[in-house]
Amino acid sequence: VTIAGRAYASYGSGQVVLADAVAWGGLVDVVAPGFLDRQTVVRRNGATRLVLWPVVRGLGFDDAYVAELVYTAGTREPPPLGTSPLRRIRVGTTQAFVLLTPELWADEAARGAHEMAVSLLSAASGARVVYTAGTTRPTSGVVFEAKVDPADPLCGDRTRAFTQATVAGSEITGGRVVYCSLDAARTSTVQHELGHTFGLQHSPHWRELMSGVFQGGRADEFGPRESLAMAMQLERLAGNRFPDSDRDVTSSAESITTIVCR
């Protein structure tokens, strides 16, 4: 652990006690076998807890996987791998709500798909963010509207659905999910799109739920790699940069990001 230019070795418990006071903004580097290098700055007095991002090669949870699932925006023409900031649901959010149209709620299969999806997403996040679905807009929490609209201009070229997230400083503060057919809203496309509302991008593995293409054999639940990535996202500031640096996190104006899924 290097803090303000001075190197320390952590105790077996992972703790480091500084020999001298360090000013806010002092650079912090943490390097450990089996983890991505962590870069941050001193932001507060007293104890600071840093959770390192593990590399679990036996699970296929390596730097390339993390770069694509978390740090590559899933647009029609995605940027080079690992060049996008980490986007995550708003810091401090414990409740997220999926607001269905009356049409979706009245369709038994679509309603069941959304109820299943919010349950799976809540479980995958370790219940740190609890998703629910319904037709009455709540007075608090982050809200994502869900509807079917085949006439939307983005519903073409084999598109099944897309997610548009409202983002402020890389924090997801709300948005909408649009299904290009009612059939798509009755399938695991629902949990895939809700994964985007949490901050996941597209998986490089076609069998995983967050793969960008809906096809036979793709999982209909979040796998261990995706769940681990979600846990790590919640331990980081929005705007964190690959492999694991939040030194240059800055605020920004509100914007809309779109992820199109086929």
Side-chain angles (χ1 to χ4, degrees), residues 188-227:
S188 62
T189 293
V190 177
Q191 42 262 46
H192 174 98
E193 297 305 318
L194 294 190
H196 290 317
T197 70
F198 188 88
L200 295 177
Q201 302 297 325
H202 280 145
S203 168
H205 297 280
W206 71 270
R207 286 187 179 276
E208 287 193 318
L209 175 61
M210 293 311 298
S211 167
V213 178
F214 180 84
Q215 57 187 313
R218 190 179 79 170
D220 55 10
E221 297 185 11
F222 295 98
R225 286 183 293 203
E226 294 159 318
S227 298

Side-chain angles (χ1 to χ4, degrees), residues 2-4 22-29 38-44 48 50 237 245-249:
T2 304
I3 303 174
V22 176
W24 286 16
L27 301 184
V28 178
D29 291 87
R38 181 81 165 95
Q39 295 183 332
T40 186
V41 297
V42 176
R43 288 192 169 91
R44 62 187 296 269
T48 299
L50 297 177
L237 294 175
S245 175
D246 59 21
R247 285 180 176 170
D248 300 318
V249 169

Side-chain angles (χ1 to χ4, degrees), residues 42-227:
V42 176
R43 288 192 169 91
R44 62 187 296 269
N45 293 328
T48 299
R49 177 175 177 266
L50 297 177
V51 178
L52 302 187
W53 198 297
V55 174
V56 190
R57 301 200 182 278
L59 187 63
F61 194 79
D62 56 17
D63 50 355
Y65 178 83
V66 169
E68 190 158 348
L69 183 67
V70 178
Y71 294 95
T72 304
T75 61
R76 286 178 179 268
E77 297 180 2
L81 293 180
T83 58
S84 301
L86 179 149
R87 295 190 178 107
R88 53 155 293 176
I89 198 164
R90 187 175 63 198
V91 173
T93 296
T94 59
Q95 300 285 332
F97 189 78
V98 183
L99 182 66
L100 277 64
T101 61
E103 174 194 13
L104 279 175
W105 191 254
D107 186 275
E108 184 176 351
R111 183 175 69 251
H114 283 79
E115 290 173 338
M116 172 67 75
V118 296
S119 175
L120 290 172
L121 187 51
S122 299
S125 73
R128 293 178 62 183
V129 181
V130 176
Y131 276 67
T132 54
T135 58
T136 302
R137 184 181 294 271
T139 57
S140 62
V142 175
V143 178
F144 301 98
E145 299 177 356
K147 68 176 182 176
V148 176
D149 187 4
D152 191 284
L154 290 178
C155 284
D157 191 24
R158 299 177 289 109
T159 300
R160 288 182 62 83
F162 63 89
T163 295
Q164 287 187 320
T166 304
V167 179
S170 294
E171 290 188 359
I172 298 172
T173 60
R176 65 176 186 144
V177 174
V178 177
Y179 305 104
C180 296
S181 69
L182 181 57
D183 178 67
R186 296 167 169 167
T187 68
S188 62
T189 293
V190 177
Q191 42 262 46
H192 174 98
E193 297 305 318
L194 294 190
H196 290 317
T197 70
F198 188 88
L200 295 177
Q201 302 297 325
H202 280 145
S203 168
H205 297 280
W206 71 270
R207 286 187 179 276
E208 287 193 318
L209 175 61
M210 293 311 298
S211 167
V213 178
F214 180 84
Q215 57 187 313
R218 190 179 79 170
D220 55 10
E221 297 185 11
F222 295 98
R225 286 183 293 203
E226 294 159 318
S227 298

Side-chain angles (χ1 to χ4, degrees), residues 3-40:
I3 303 174
R6 183 166 181 172
Y8 299 84
S10 65
Y11 302 139
S13 60
Q15 292 181 318
V16 170
V17 178
L18 305 189
D20 301 293
V22 176
W24 286 16
L27 301 184
V28 178
D29 291 87
V30 185
V31 179
F35 297 89
L36 298 181
D37 293 354
R38 181 81 165 95
Q39 295 183 332
T40 186

